């Protein structure tokens, strides 16, 4: 997805690199859909879906980047999306 398409839908932006499109709570879990800017490709954002257990550090994530598809582990896009989500939740709690 192009970043210029993701930016208008964002409810929160972190340094023009991470755009959070939606955050919802389902029982003890928090689901978030984020778009994270690629560092190698111009104007490309990867979709990251995070599933966090509220009040813990436990999370699951999925990313559309090639690195995640190849290795299957958490990529740098998932880590950046998680940081942005934590910042968003801190602001929302105030």
């Amino acid at each position: 997805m192009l970043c210029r398409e993701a930016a208008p839908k964002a409810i929160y932006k972190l340094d023009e690199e991470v755009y959070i499109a939606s955050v919802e709570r389902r029982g003890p879990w928090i689901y978030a859909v984020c778009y994270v800017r690629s560092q190698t490709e111009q104007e490309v954002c990867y979709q990251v879906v995070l599933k966090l257990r509220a009040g813990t550090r436990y999370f699951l994530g999925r990313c559309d980047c090639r690195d995640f598809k190849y290795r299957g582990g958490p990529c740098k896009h998932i880590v950046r999306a998680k940081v942005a989500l934590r910042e968003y939740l801190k602001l929302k709690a105030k």
Side-chain angles (χ1 to χ4, degrees):
M1 172 179 255
L2 296 177
C3 291
R4 66 175 174 257
E5 295 171 5
K9 300 179 207 173
I11 58 173
Y12 178 75
K13 294 184 227 182
L14 181 67
D15 299 332
E16 299 295 326
E17 289 199 13
V18 181
Y19 304 97
I20 298 178
S22 68
V23 177
E24 62 182 68
R25 192 175 194 97
R26 297 183 196 163
W29 295 95
I30 297 172
Y31 287 85
V33 176
C34 307
Y35 295 95
V36 181
R37 187 180 296 273
S38 172
Q39 291 178 338
T40 57
E41 298 178 45
Q42 194 81 10
E43 281 300 312
V44 173
C45 282
Y46 295 115
Q47 183 183 35
V48 176
V49 178
L50 290 174
K51 180 180 171 184
L52 286 138
R53 183 130 185 146
T56 66
R57 302 183 120 217
Y58 181 73
F59 77 98
L60 299 171
R62 180 175 46 87
C63 183
D64 287 344
C65 71
R66 287 184 223 109
D67 187 38
F68 182 79
K69 290 177 183 175
Y70 178 72
R71 288 188 314 124
C75 62
K76 60 187 169 190
H77 307 108
I78 290 175
V79 173
R80 289 195 310 196
K82 184 180 171 194
V83 168
L85 182 60
R86 295 273 183 203
E87 291 294 321
Y88 172 76
L89 293 174
K90 283 180 193 175
L91 288 175
K92 190 99 172 159
K94 289 182 182 180

